Amino acid sequence: MGFDEVRERCGVVALYQPESSGDRLDRLAYYGLLALQHRGQDSAGIVVALDGRLFRHRGTGLVQDVFDESALNAAHATAAVGHVRYATAGGTGESNIQPLLGSTRAGHRFALAHNGNLLAVDDADDLAGRRHVDRTGEADADTPVLVRALSDQDGDTLAAMLAVLPRVSGAFSLAVATPDGLLAARDPNGFRPLCLGRLPGGGWITASETTALDAVGAAFLREVEPGELLSIGPHGVLSHRFASPAPSTCIFEYVYFARPDSMLNGRRVQQVRQAMGAALAHDAPAAADVVVPTPDTARPAALGYAAASGIPYAEALIRNTYVGRSFIMPADGERRHAVDLKLNAIPETVEGRRVVLIDDSVVRANTARAVVTKLRRAGAAEVHLRVASSPLRWPCFFGVDISTKHDLAARARSVPEVGQLIGADSIGYLSLEAMKRAIGGGRTCDGCFTGTYPLPLPLPLTTTATAGR
C-alpha cells in the first residue's frame, strides 16, 4: 500500500492495579499508546482514576506531541484508559478526542475509549448516514452517541453497559475506566481486536494489540471474546456475556493494520504475512531478478514471496521516517513530490533488472503508480506488481476508512486494467482463499473484497453494498 494508506479507526489501552502497587499507570498508558501509534495519529488522550475522581488530558497529534512530563503526574492512579484516533467517523475537533467522559443517572462516572465504527444504537440510523451536528457545526462521531446511551441508564457503569451493548450494532472494542476499576467489551463479531494481560505488579491491562502489553512488560493471557464484557477491579476479572459470539475478525488487520509483532487469534501477524507472500508467489509468479517490498508493511510478504519463488530479496525503496502522514502536501501541480519526499529508490539495486514489487494492498492506485514510475526512473528494466491481498472493491462500515467504492482502483476495473492504470508490466493479486489459508482458517469479515458483510446494513448504506452471508 505504500503511502496510499487506508486508515484504521483507533487503538485503546486500559490498566488497573491495586493501590498497593508501585507502578505508574499514567506512564504505562503512555507506553501502551506509543506501541499503538500506528492505529491512529490524529489525536491521543489518557484518563486516570485518582482518589475516586477521573482526570483527563488529550490533544491533537502524535502521542509524544500530546503528553509531556507535566501531563504524566498521576503517581497513585488505580486505573487508566488511553486512546489514539483516526477520524473515520465524525470530525477531528477536540470534542471528538477520546477517551470521552460520561456519567450514569445514578452518578457513576466513566471514561470510554472506542475502536471500531457503530452502525446503530437501537434505531439511531444517523450513525449510518446522518450525523449529528454539534454547536461548532462539526459532524459528530458515533462514540458520543454510545456515551449518551450509557448516561441514560440507571445503576452503575457495568449495569449500564450490560443494558446498552445488546442494542448496539456495528464494530466496537471498548475500554472503560471507572473510579474503582475497568470494563472492556468486544462486539459479537469481534471485528476489531482486544486482548487481556497481567501486569508485573499484579494489575491488569486490556489493549487493542499485544504489542501494548509487551511495551509495559505485561503477560498476554487471552483475547477478549466476541460478545464478552469484562469487569476488572479489586475482585479480579469477571466475565459477562451480553451477546452470542459470531466471530468475524477483520481480515485487513492481518493484511495491513496490526503490527507484525502482534498476536491475533493465536497467530503472529509477521508469520501470517510471510505465508501470504509465499502463497502469492504460487498464485502470481513472475520472471524477475529481484523482489522489492514497498516499505514498511509489505516487507514480511516480500520475504515470503522471495523464499517461495527463489528470487533474491533486496531493499530498493527507502522511507523517510521523518515525513509524517500530516506533512504539508505539495500543490496540485507537484503531487509527485509527495512520494519523492517520502520514498527514495536505490538505483544500484534495480538498474537493468526485472523487479517484482510487493505491496500488501492497492487502494486508489495513486501511490502504486508513482512508485512504479520511481523504480523505472531508477533504471528498472521491468516492474511487476504483486499484491498480497485480493482486489479492494467495496467500502468498509466497521472501522476502516474505505469509505466509498468510487475511490477504489479495482472497483470497476479488471485486474489487467488496474495494472495498466498503475503502469506496471504485469500485476497479480493473492486470492481470497489463499488469504484465509494463510490466516489459518476461521470466519473473517472480508466485505471490502467481496461486498458481502456479516451484519445487515442500515438503509442509508444498502445502496452501496449487500448484507449478510
Side-chain angles (χ1 to χ4, degrees):
M1 184 179 299
F3 301 101
D4 193 17
E5 288 111 339
V6 165
R7 306 195 303 179
E8 209 277 337
R9 177 75 196 269
C10 302
V12 301
V13 62
L15 310 99
Y16 168 82
Q17 67 181 4
E19 293 186 15
S20 59
S21 175
D23 291 329
R24 288 284 301 269
L25 289 195
D26 55 343
R27 294 180 185 271
L28 294 185
Y30 172 77
Y31 301 149
L33 290 184
L34 286 175
L36 298 174
Q37 185 74 87
H38 59 289
R39 299 187 73 89
Q41 299 182 14
D42 286 346
S43 62
I46 293 176
V47 171
V48 297
L50 183 63
D51 298 328
R53 300 172 62 191
L54 299 177
F55 298 88
R56 178 173 62 182
H57 185 87
R58 59 182 182 170
T60 58
L62 303 178
V63 174
Q64 294 180 87
D65 298 329
V66 175
F67 299 98
D68 56 20
E69 188 68 26
S70 64
L72 301 170
N73 57 6
H76 303 291
T78 56
V81 59
H83 188 268
V84 288
R85 181 172 190 256
Y86 270 139
T88 62
T92 58
E94 184 174 345
S95 64
N96 283 324
I97 300 177
Q98 299 183 38
L100 301 181
L101 298 175
S103 177
T104 69
R105 287 180 176 176
H108 293 269
R109 289 183 59 75
F110 61 86
L112 181 146
H114 169 217
N115 173 212
N117 194 46
L118 305 181
L119 297 182
V121 178
D122 292 324
D123 296 323
D125 64 347
D126 55 296
L127 297 185
R130 298 194 302 273
R131 301 283 171 190
H132 293 286
V133 176
D134 64 16
R135 290 187 300 273
T136 66
E138 183 174 89
D140 192 8
D142 51 346
T143 309
V145 179
L146 177 59
V147 171
R148 286 194 287 270
L150 294 170
S151 299
D152 285 340
Q153 302 300 309
D154 297 316
D156 61 14
T157 308
L158 172 60
M161 292 186 70
L162 287 172
V164 170
L165 293 185
R167 297 152 37 198
V168 178
S169 175
F172 57 89
S173 286
L174 303 175
V176 180
T178 67
D180 55 3
L182 297 179
L183 298 164
R186 198 173 176 201
D187 67 75
N189 293 95
F191 287 110
R192 311 258 70 88
L194 192 65
C195 62
L196 174 69
R198 186 74 161 153
L199 292 172
W204 307 87
I205 177 174
T206 182
S208 293
E209 293 185 36
T210 59
T211 51
L213 277 57
D214 298 334
V216 303
F220 170 72
L221 297 179
R222 65 178 180 89
E223 296 191 7
V224 179
E225 296 179 5
E228 183 181 28
L229 169 63
L230 300 180
S231 60
I232 304 171
H235 52 270
V237 179
L238 298 179
S239 174
H240 312 267
R241 176 65 64 181
F242 67 87
S244 298
S248 303
T249 303
C250 172
I251 201 169
F252 227 79
E253 290 282 351
Y254 295 97
V255 172
Y256 177 68
F257 291 127
R259 267 179 43 168
D261 49 339
S262 285
M263 294 284 292
L264 287 179
N265 294 324
R267 298 290 306 279
R268 189 74 63 183
V269 174
Q270 169 90 359
Q271 295 175 323
V272 172
R273 291 177 182 165
Q274 285 185 344
M276 288 179 173
L280 180 62
H282 294 288
D283 274 9
D289 305 306
V290 63
V291 175
V292 169
T294 300
D296 293 309
T297 53
R299 284 196 176 100
L303 288 168
Y305 192 102
S309 66
I311 302 172
Y313 171 96
E315 295 279 347
L317 294 165
I318 304 302
R319 180 170 184 161
N320 182 351
T321 58
Y322 298 98
V323 179
R325 301 185 188 203
S326 59
F327 81 110
I328 298 173
M329 183 65 70
D332 289 341
E334 302 173 334
R335 290 297 179 183
R336 71 176 182 86
H337 293 304
V339 175
D340 290 338
L341 287 168
K342 289 185 174 184
L343 277 182
N344 200 27
I346 300 176
E348 290 78 6
T349 303
V350 300
E351 189 170 6
R353 308 179 80 183
R354 300 168 299 172
V355 175
V356 181
L357 175 65
I358 306 295
D359 213 340
D360 49 67
S361 55
V362 171
V363 188
R364 299 169 188 87
N366 297 333
T367 298
R369 182 168 57 244
V371 172
V372 168
T373 300
K374 179 176 284 290
L375 289 172
R376 293 196 191 281
R377 291 206 313 257
E382 299 174 8
V383 181
H384 302 274
L385 179 62
R386 296 295 181 265
V387 185
S389 61
S390 296
L392 280 166
R393 293 193 169 104
W394 297 90
C396 174
F397 305 103
F398 305 109
V400 180
D401 187 20
I402 307 175
S403 58
T404 169
K405 62 185 179 183
H406 303 295
D407 289 341
L408 304 177
R411 170 58 184 158
R413 294 181 178 91
S414 66
V415 170
E417 287 172 338
V418 175
Q420 292 172 7
L421 175 68
I422 292 170
D425 290 282
S426 71
I427 185 172
Y429 285 87
L430 184 62
S431 69
L432 183 60
E433 294 75 17
M435 292 175 67
K436 292 186 175 183
R437 287 196 299 270
I439 290 169
R443 188 180 177 191
T444 59
C445 178
D446 48 46
C448 56
F449 300 114
T450 64
T452 303
Y453 303 88
L455 290 179
L457 302 178
L459 287 176
L461 304 180
T462 56
T463 58
T464 62
T466 57
R469 285 188 182 273

